[in-house]
Amino acid sequence: MDRKPGLLMAQLLNRFIWFDGALQKSLDERGHGGVRRLESMAMIYVHAGVRRPSDLARLLGVTRQSMNTALRELEEKGLIYLEPDPEDARCKLVRFAPEGAAMRLDALDIVLSLEAELEARLGAQSVDDLARIVSADWGEAPVVRKQPAKPQGMKAGKKKRA
């Protein structure tokens, strides 16, 4: 398929939604329903080692208030604990609750199965390439500023005489 300029962001988002939708449906099928997308995304980052709610909020692009609400809901569901941060008494750290181990194991099994399904559909090399590309350091997100408009009547490359 040819690449359509301007659609890469939408295509990446669609593929994320494919993954998350399959994860949510599969968790429901296994009796672990009721986890919202923000909650599952937070759980993925906690699994990757991110433990501070403020870091989770920043990575997920949500307010601290939204993140704290999601974490409280995960705590009420018995999936995480919020414990004092030994380095900063004003903060909490997220820790997985032992009571949620079965769900986490099922979620990991589902994600690994989805990756295997992608390999079957797209080929192992394509999935390896995709993993390499999305794991690469893309650097800081740039700010793309509007280019100043060229004055009417001027052609590109020509300088106005004084």
Side-chain angles (χ1 to χ4, degrees):
M1 175 188 273
D2 291 330
R3 180 176 154 328
K4 293 186 180 183
L7 292 180
L8 182 59
M9 185 174 173
Q11 292 164 332
L12 287 169
L13 182 58
N14 286 340
R15 296 309 157 238
F16 166 76
I17 292 170
W18 179 90
F19 253 108
D20 188 66
L23 173 62
Q24 297 300 331
K25 288 177 188 175
S26 299
L27 285 171
D28 285 346
E29 181 76 21
R30 294 184 187 196
H32 302 295
V35 177
R36 297 181 300 126
R37 177 169 290 147
L38 179 56
E39 295 169 354
S40 67
M41 291 168 50
M43 297 277 287
I44 289 167
Y45 274 114
V46 172
H47 176 72
V50 179
R51 298 191 58 213
R52 290 182 178 209
S54 59
D55 292 338
L56 290 167
R58 181 181 45 78
L59 288 166
L60 293 169
V62 299
T63 64
R64 288 182 183 194
Q65 181 179 0
S66 293
M67 188 78 266
N68 286 331
T69 299
L71 292 173
R72 275 194 310 276
E73 290 174 9
L74 287 170
E75 192 172 37
E76 289 169 7
K77 293 172 185 174
L79 298 173
I80 65 161
Y81 292 133
L82 290 170
E83 56 190 23
D85 183 342
E87 296 177 15
D88 187 345
R90 300 168 299 159
C91 298
K92 301 270 187 197
L93 293 178
V94 179
R95 182 173 59 88
F96 284 129
E99 300 86 344
M103 180 185 193
R104 287 193 312 280
L105 288 173
D106 276 347
L108 181 58
D109 179 60
I110 291 164
V111 169
L112 293 174
S113 295
L114 291 171
E115 290 180 10
E117 180 66 25
L118 274 183
E119 284 189 11
R121 292 181 182 192
L122 305 176
Q125 187 60 54
S126 291
V127 174
D128 287 346
D129 290 344
L130 177 62
R132 180 183 45 76
I133 290 165
V134 298
S135 298
D137 182 358
W138 292 12
E140 289 294 318
V143 174
V144 180
R145 292 183 172 76
K146 185 175 180 176
Q147 297 297 316
K150 292 186 171 103
Q152 288 282 346
M154 289 189 68
K155 294 184 180 180
K158 302 258 182 175
K159 292 184 181 178
K160 189 175 179 181
R161 292 183 189 174

